[in-house]
Amino acid sequence: MTGVEADAGDTPADKARLLREGPLLTIEQAAQPGNPDARIALESISHGRLLGSCAAAVHGLTTGDLARMRRTIWEFSRVPAAWIRFQTTVSETLHYGGRDGLLYWNDGAGPITELPGARMDGRHAWGHRGVVVSQMRQLPCTLYTGEAFDNNTAVILPHDPADLPAIWAYCSSPEYARDVRRIDRKMSVTSATLVKVPFDLERWQRVAAERYPDGLPEPHSNDPTQWLFEGHP
């Protein structure tokens, strides 16, 4: 089997040019059934332990009417009682980001439960720690601290909380996006795909120990658009 390699963010014109001018890639057809979900991949995929053996990928909540149900924190002097913090995507990988939103929740009894298309996904991740992955392009990520999160993201939720530093070290590295894109080149990656990549726990535990000898940083942001901002530079 042969093909040409395109990035998830390529335009139709880019892909047409690659078909005309790009190099041919040769892959072994017989090896494809051994890939996660037997997906066709244009690169060799390691078949060791998968991230899914250490963590679950949890899909975010769909409001059914985001323009009505979501506000930003600076629209209020304080968070009203009926609203909760609402995690969304980040444009680049950083420790704490995507924290400028509020969701009208009203203890789950608000109109969100009645809106067509609304889905209450992700609630079993609330209150736990993990990694939020933005499901587009290069899959930038940020640490998750237990809030509601939207359906443009997925949370990678460790089975063992002690594995979070290693999982973060991997997901925040360029290797993670490359590994995911080896098996899924669509613009938006499904949440299930995010944990179907090889994961060497022992290696990333060593990386995390070197990078974070005192543990992962505490929630903090210097960005005044974020609810973590405390007014300090």
Side-chain angles (χ1 to χ4, degrees), residues 51-63:
L51 180 56
S53 66
C54 298
V58 184
H59 190 262
L61 180 152
T62 303
T63 67

Side-chain angles (χ1 to χ4, degrees), residues 165-166 169 200-213:
D200 184 341
L201 176 60
E202 290 73 22
R203 175 197 170 194
W204 291 105
Q205 283 176 329
R206 292 193 297 272
V207 172
E210 293 173 1
R211 191 174 299 169
Y212 304 106

Side-chain angles (χ1 to χ4, degrees), residues 78-222:
R78 60 176 57 87
V79 179
W83 296 71
I84 59 174
R85 293 171 174 176
F86 196 36
Q87 171 81 48
T88 189
T89 59
V90 292
S91 59
E92 61 180 357
T93 294
L94 73 168
H95 288 122
Y96 295 100
R99 291 166 161 84
D100 65 354
L102 299 173
L103 176 70
Y104 183 68
W105 184 246
N106 198 27
D107 290 330
I112 189 171
T113 59
E114 304 167 2
L115 291 171
R119 295 207 320 268
M120 312 299 276
D121 295 342
R123 293 183 65 180
H124 68 278
W126 296 10
H128 300 283
R129 299 292 296 268
V131 176
V132 177
V133 181
S134 305
Q135 294 175 250
M136 300 282 283
R137 295 186 178 273
Q138 296 308 308
L139 314 177
C141 59
T142 189
L143 287 163
Y144 174 65
T145 48
E147 293 80 18
F149 55 103
D150 70 23
N151 65 334
N152 294 310
T153 64
V155 166
I156 297 179
L157 192 65
H159 299 322
D160 182 348
D163 291 337
L164 177 57
I167 292 172
W168 168 252
Y170 174 47
C171 292
S172 61
S173 76
E175 289 184 40
Y176 176 66
R178 287 200 298 266
D179 289 346
V180 173
R181 289 303 183 187
R182 286 189 176 105
I183 60 173
D184 193 334
R185 295 181 176 273
K186 297 192 300 293
M187 181 72 74
S188 179
V189 178
T190 65
S191 55
T193 301
L194 296 174
V195 293
K196 292 182 177 177
V197 289
F199 179 58
D200 184 341
L201 176 60
E202 290 73 22
R203 175 197 170 194
W204 291 105
Q205 283 176 329
R206 292 193 297 272
V207 172
E210 293 173 1
R211 191 174 299 169
Y212 304 106
D214 299 320
L216 292 174
E218 292 297 315
H220 173 75
S221 177
N222 292 326

Side-chain angles (χ1 to χ4, degrees), residues 31-54:
Q32 301 305 303
N35 293 336
D37 295 338
R39 300 186 188 203
I40 295 175
L42 299 181
E43 300 178 52
S44 175
I45 296 176
S46 170
H47 297 288
R49 182 183 195 182
L50 298 183
L51 180 56
S53 66
C54 298

